[in-house]
Amino acid sequence: MEDRHRSGRRRGSGIAAGTILAIETSCDDTCAAVVTPRGEILSNVISSQARFHERYGGVVPEVASRHHLELVNAVVDEALQSARVSLAETGAIAATSGPGLIGALLIGLSTAKALAAAAGRPFVPVDHLHGHVAANFLGEDAMDPPFLCLIASGGHTLLASVEEPSGYRLLGATRDDAAGEALDKAARMMGMGYPGGAEIDRLAKQGDPGAFAFPVGMRGVESLDFSFSGLKTALVYTVRELGPEQSAARRADLAASFQRAVVDSLMLKLEQALEHTGARRLAIGGGVAANSELRARVAALSEARGLELQIPPPELCTDNAAMIASAARYVEAVPYPEFLGFDAFARVAA
Ligand code: KG4
Ligand code: ZN
């Protein structure tokens, strides 16, 4: 699979100058950030809605949209205030335009368009996955393209060849569940809260990763695609065989073994992609890139092979608006009034 992905549109009025205010509402975090053209983060505000979704065991789209609507103005105000930047001082207003939950995306997109119209600034539509890649362009030891990038989140798992900062070329992606989705579903099966990735990470430290042999998807296959649905099914059967008492008693072993299989799957395709592309520079991103085992394994691989590695801090791996502002620096801005007709998209067109 080879496919080019860029944010926004191909024809526009050029890259916006100045400091960028960005809004991210693609899933269940209401985020706003202010970032300078050089990639300095002046503010990065995240209001997590996880507690509202926990009782349902996953994100409920309508609940997410409603909370975004209630929170977005306060989150934007806080981002501007803590950056000590007024709306009039921004050069452009950016927002995630997709992929994600359509109702949730529309709240951030409409807010950004309204602010851009009121302030007389251009609007910059950003692809969420381009944002995860662009988290690597921030901070003091930012990495410039070209590099190979593994993105693993709750909604997506993919390998990207990043040749220029304005987009990426897709090398492979999951054929079913995302890595984070598999971790969240596993956590739910083991009776933990939502989202479960971070909790599995914590619990796995007390367990034996070799206790259960879970399958590693797409092993022995040349494709750079991932698959996590077989792993999920294997856990269902294991938990059923163990029964409720044993499953609870061996939760740490289950967590460690499941996490090991997820990380093995990611590492397997990452190593194949390194061979396939000959890349010497590597970066990771997305919520699962906050995982301690994955971070350690990627660091060890880079050390062993003498690769240049960039791992964003955990708070820039999970959803945030600083990464959206970072990507927006390389995306064509849409002028007023043209951007008023700009729409959100739930999925990448096939
Ligand atoms: O990038 P992100 O914040 O949202 C999406 O774009 O999906 O990723 C969220 C995902 C969730 O599945 C969550 O369980 C997972 O990232 N996650 C982790 C960790 N922290 C968050 N997975 C494993 N270990 C972690 N420490
Ligand atoms: Zn994300």
Side-chain angles (χ1 to χ4, degrees), residues 128 132 153 319 323:
H128 182 76
H132 276 303
S153 74
D319 284 350
M323 69 183 197

Side-chain angles (χ1 to χ4, degrees), residues 47-296:
S47 177
S48 169
Q49 303 178 6
R51 67 184 187 282
F52 301 117
H53 300 280
E54 190 166 6
R55 72 176 119 153
Y56 306 109
V59 177
V60 182
E62 285 76 12
V63 174
S65 309
R66 182 179 292 247
H67 283 291
H68 284 312
L69 193 56
E70 284 170 4
L71 293 164
V72 71
N73 288 334
V75 168
V76 166
D77 283 349
E78 195 184 327
L80 288 169
Q81 271 167 25
S82 57
R84 297 180 184 279
V85 168
S86 69
L87 192 59
E89 286 165 338
T90 59
I93 321 289
T96 307
S97 52
L101 302 172
I102 196 72
L105 285 163
L106 282 170
I107 307 296
L109 194 79
S110 315
T111 305
K113 290 198 296 191
L115 290 171
R121 292 290 175 274
F123 166 72
V124 190
V126 175
D127 178 292
H128 182 76
L129 296 164
H130 180 205
H132 276 303
V133 169
N136 288 289
F137 308 151
L138 293 168
E140 275 171 21
D141 36 35
M143 188 177 257
D144 295 324
F147 57 84
L148 176 71
C149 191
L150 168 71
I151 300 293
S153 74
H156 302 270
T157 300
L158 58 93
L159 278 160
S161 172
V162 185
E163 286 138 28
E164 12 118 14
S166 58
Y168 62 88
R169 192 160 53 87
L170 192 66
L171 301 175
T174 184
R175 294 189 177 178
D176 38 61
D177 289 354
E181 185 181 359
L183 286 161
D184 292 341
K185 286 177 178 168
R188 192 177 175 187
M189 267 183 250
M190 292 188 266
M192 300 178 204
Y194 170 85
E199 213 170 325
I200 289 194
D201 192 356
R202 270 193 300 276
L203 197 60
K205 293 192 170 78
Q206 299 152 30
D208 172 10
F212 299 94
F214 287 123
V216 173
M218 305 293 281
R219 205 203 283 276
V221 183
E222 208 184 312
S223 160
L224 294 177
D225 287 350
F226 304 85
S227 169
F228 295 98
S229 64
L231 172 60
K232 184 181 63 185
T233 310
L235 181 67
V236 172
Y237 285 117
T238 306
V239 167
R240 199 175 289 167
E241 271 165 36
L242 285 172
E245 258 171 49
Q246 274 300 306
S247 296
R250 303 199 61 190
R251 230 158 59 140
D253 284 345
L254 285 168
S257 303
F258 191 87
Q259 177 175 288
R260 174 60 52 89
V262 170
V263 173
D264 279 349
S265 295
L266 296 172
M267 295 305 294
L268 178 74
K269 294 299 157 183
L270 182 58
E271 288 189 40
Q272 268 179 241
L274 283 169
E275 264 150 50
H276 179 80
T277 59
R280 304 291 306 155
R281 306 170 82 235
L282 179 61
I284 61 174
V288 180
N291 183 267
S292 53
E293 184 173 350
L294 180 64
R295 294 169 84 87

